[in-house]
Amino acid sequence: MISQTSEYALRAVVCLAQSPDKPHTTAEIAKLTKVPEHYLSKVLLMLAKHEVVYSKKGLHGGYILAHLPENLPLLNVINAVDPIKHIKSCPLKLKTHGTNLCRLHKRLNDSIDLIEELFQTSTVGTILSDPTTSIPLCESTGK
Amino acid sequence: MISQTSEYALRAVVCLAQSPDKPHTTAEIAKLTKVPEHYLSKVLLMLAKHEVVYSKKGLHGGYILAHLPENLPLLNVINAVDPIKHIKSCPLKLKTHGTNLCRLHKRLNDSIDLIEELFQTSTVGTILSDPTTSIPLCESTGK
DNA sequence: GATAAAATAGATGTCAAGGTCTTTTTATCT
DNA sequence: AGATAAAAAGACCTTGACATCTATTTTATC
């Protein structure tokens, strides 16, 4: 459904969103989000390339969010590391179909569209502000 | 999004649904759906175990649908071969969370629920009867 | 100039999904 | 009963996602 890498990316972004003021090092984020540090560094690299986060080198450097949480759809995070793939042409490669999807694949693609829309309209900000559940990633119930 | 195996299973089921009267052999289905034959045999086995299809051994045997297309949700097909996994407990294994999901994972799980519901309400029958697109898997536009 | 951090590169390992092949079992036909 | 055609079962292989580790380079700060 959601790849492990996307899950890691989302954790990192949510983590950063909780203290948007100061930069976090890879090691810090890894510890807070329980993501393997060396793998996380690659994930953060991708997030930086896609301008989801901003990286600052040198002493007191680290990563900070490149956008306000409410302006950062989950989709942007996901697409940075593991883009959602739509079905654009017949997976059976039937020549007569070409880019016309049959009923089955149209239906499947519709559900992909739906998920994409859901992740487009749902931002990091909405996650943070949701009062119904515990605080993301933290060792407390938040209630 | 949807695993390759689920895609194969759906193709097979849609294929069977188009001629519910007579059994199809694995080889026939493989040819029509362009799924690797030996792999398809495993997929059909799983579908049979979950009573999505009925198998008949021996001469003139093969597979037939175990249900009317309109009574067969896509979800049943998918869950037979590659069950949709919900997030049931904190992926970070935070002790204080336990089975309470934080906001991030609740949101992710909500979207999984949505997809599941979509595939629950969408049946093989609805795919076959959809008049807006070409006939599933077939070498014609159907229009 | 020393230091701390990201950036870059690359080698390697692990594991599950996907895919192939062969043998065994079972039902049907003559 | 024997031949045949099919599913069932299982051994094995391949590939890519995920993950680890190491080393070097670049950049910003003290």
Side-chain angles (χ1 to χ4, degrees), chain A residues 25-26 42 45 55-59 62-63:
Chain A
T25 67
T26 305
K42 290 188 176 176
L45 215 56
S55 73
K56 193 185 174 203
K57 285 185 175 185
L59 190 56
Y63 291 96

Side-chain angles (χ1 to χ4, degrees), chain A residues 4-5 7 13 28 30 35 52-53 55 69 74 77 85 96 119 131 136:
Chain A
Q4 192 65 28
T5 305
E7 155 87 27
V13 164
E28 279 169 5
V35 174
V52 171
V53 300
S55 73
L74 299 188
V77 181
K85 287 170 284 295
T96 55
F119 286 143

Side-chain angles (χ1 to χ4, degrees), chain A residues 7 11 34 92 94 96-97 103 105-107 111 115 118 122 127-128 130 133-134 137-139, chain B residues 7 11 34 92 94 96-97 103 105-107 111 115 118 122 127-128 130 133-134 137-139:
Chain A
E7 155 87 27
R11 281 191 212 172
K34 303 209 175 173
L92 279 72
L94 298 176
T96 55
H97 280 203
R103 294 166 192 179
H105 294 109
K106 182 167 186 312
R107 178 65 55 131
S111 61
I115 282 289
L118 199 71
S122 183
I127 285 188
L128 288 183
D130 178 350
T133 52
S134 53
L137 315 175
C138 291
E139 272 285 4
Chain B
E7 155 88 27
R11 281 191 212 172
K34 304 209 175 174
L92 280 73
L94 299 176
T96 53
H97 280 201
R103 294 167 193 178
H105 294 109
K106 180 165 187 314
R107 177 65 55 135
S111 60
I115 281 289
L118 198 71
S122 183
I127 284 188
L128 288 183
D130 179 350
T133 51
S134 54
L137 314 176
C138 291
E139 272 286 3

Side-chain angles (χ1 to χ4, degrees), chain A residues 84-99:
Chain A
I84 287 182
K85 287 170 284 295
H86 294 266
I87 305 174
K88 296 209 186 82
S89 63
C90 175
L92 279 72
K93 303 207 166 58
L94 298 176
K95 294 189 196 77
T96 55
H97 280 203
T99 57

Side-chain angles (χ1 to χ4, degrees), chain A:
Chain A
M1 184 62 207
I2 288 276
S3 73
Q4 192 65 28
T5 305
S6 293
E7 155 87 27
Y8 288 166
L10 288 169
R11 281 191 212 172
V13 164
V14 168
C15 175
L16 289 178
Q18 282 172 310
S19 50
D21 41 337
K22 77 177 216 298
H24 287 271
T25 67
T26 305
E28 279 169 5
I29 303 170
K31 193 160 194 181
L32 288 169
T33 59
K34 303 209 175 173
V35 174
E37 179 174 341
H38 289 102
Y39 192 66
L40 179 63
S41 81
K42 290 188 176 176
V43 173
L44 286 168
L45 215 56
M46 288 189 276
L47 290 176
K49 284 224 174 80
H50 287 83
E51 299 184 329
V52 171
V53 300
Y54 171 75
S55 73
K56 193 185 174 203
K57 285 185 175 185
L59 190 56
H60 302 151
Y63 291 96
I64 54 175
L65 274 197
H67 307 272
L68 291 177
E70 53 271 29
N71 292 335
L72 182 56
L74 299 188
L75 184 64
N76 291 23
V77 181
I78 293 169
N79 275 342
V81 298
D82 192 9
I84 287 182
K85 287 170 284 295
H86 294 266
I87 305 174
K88 296 209 186 82
S89 63
C90 175
L92 279 72
K93 303 207 166 58
L94 298 176
K95 294 189 196 77
T96 55
H97 280 203
T99 57
N100 293 321
L101 299 180
C102 78
R103 294 166 192 179
L104 172 60
H105 294 109
K106 182 167 186 312
R107 178 65 55 131
L108 293 180
N109 197 51
D110 283 350
S111 61
I112 295 173
D113 287 346
L114 187 74
I115 282 289
E116 183 172 57
E117 190 188 325
L118 199 71
F119 286 143
Q120 175 66 57
T121 55
S122 183
T123 70
V124 175
T126 59
I127 285 188
L128 288 183
S129 62
D130 178 350
T132 62
T133 52
S134 53
I135 294 172
L137 315 175
C138 291
E139 272 285 4
S140 81
T141 65
K143 280 199 182 176

Side-chain angles (χ1 to χ4, degrees), chain B residues 99-117:
Chain B
T99 58
N100 293 321
L101 299 180
C102 79
R103 294 167 193 178
L104 171 60
H105 294 109
K106 180 165 187 314
R107 177 65 55 135
L108 293 180
N109 197 50
D110 283 351
S111 60
I112 294 172
D113 287 346
L114 188 73
I115 281 289
E116 182 171 57
E117 192 188 323

Side-chain angles (χ1 to χ4, degrees), chain B:
Chain B
M1 179 65 206
I2 288 275
S3 72
Q4 193 66 28
T5 304
S6 294
E7 155 88 27
Y8 289 165
L10 288 168
R11 281 191 212 172
V13 164
V14 167
C15 175
L16 290 178
Q18 283 172 309
S19 51
D21 41 337
K22 76 176 221 296
H24 287 270
T25 68
T26 305
E28 281 168 5
I29 304 170
K31 194 160 194 181
L32 288 169
T33 59
K34 304 209 175 174
V35 174
E37 178 174 341
H38 290 100
Y39 191 66
L40 180 62
S41 82
K42 286 187 176 178
V43 173
L44 287 168
L45 211 58
M46 287 189 276
L47 291 176
K49 284 227 172 79
H50 287 83
E51 298 184 329
V52 171
V53 300
Y54 171 74
S55 73
K56 194 185 173 202
K57 284 188 178 184
L59 191 57
H60 302 153
Y63 290 97
I64 55 176
L65 274 199
H67 306 273
L68 291 175
E70 53 270 30
N71 292 334
L72 183 56
L74 300 188
L75 184 64
N76 290 24
V77 180
I78 293 169
N79 274 342
V81 298
D82 192 10
I84 288 182
K85 286 171 282 295
H86 295 264
I87 304 174
K88 295 209 187 78
S89 63
C90 175
L92 280 73
K93 302 208 167 54
L94 299 176
K95 294 189 195 76
T96 53
H97 280 201
T99 58
N100 293 321
L101 299 180
C102 79
R103 294 167 193 178
L104 171 60
H105 294 109
K106 180 165 187 314
R107 177 65 55 135
L108 293 180
N109 197 50
D110 283 351
S111 60
I112 294 172
D113 287 346
L114 188 73
I115 281 289
E116 182 171 57
E117 192 188 323
L118 198 71
F119 286 143
Q120 176 65 56
T121 55
S122 183
T123 70
V124 176
T126 59
I127 284 188
L128 288 183
S129 62
D130 179 350
T132 62
T133 51
S134 54
I135 293 172
L137 314 176
C138 291
E139 272 286 3
S140 82
T141 66
K143 279 199 184 176

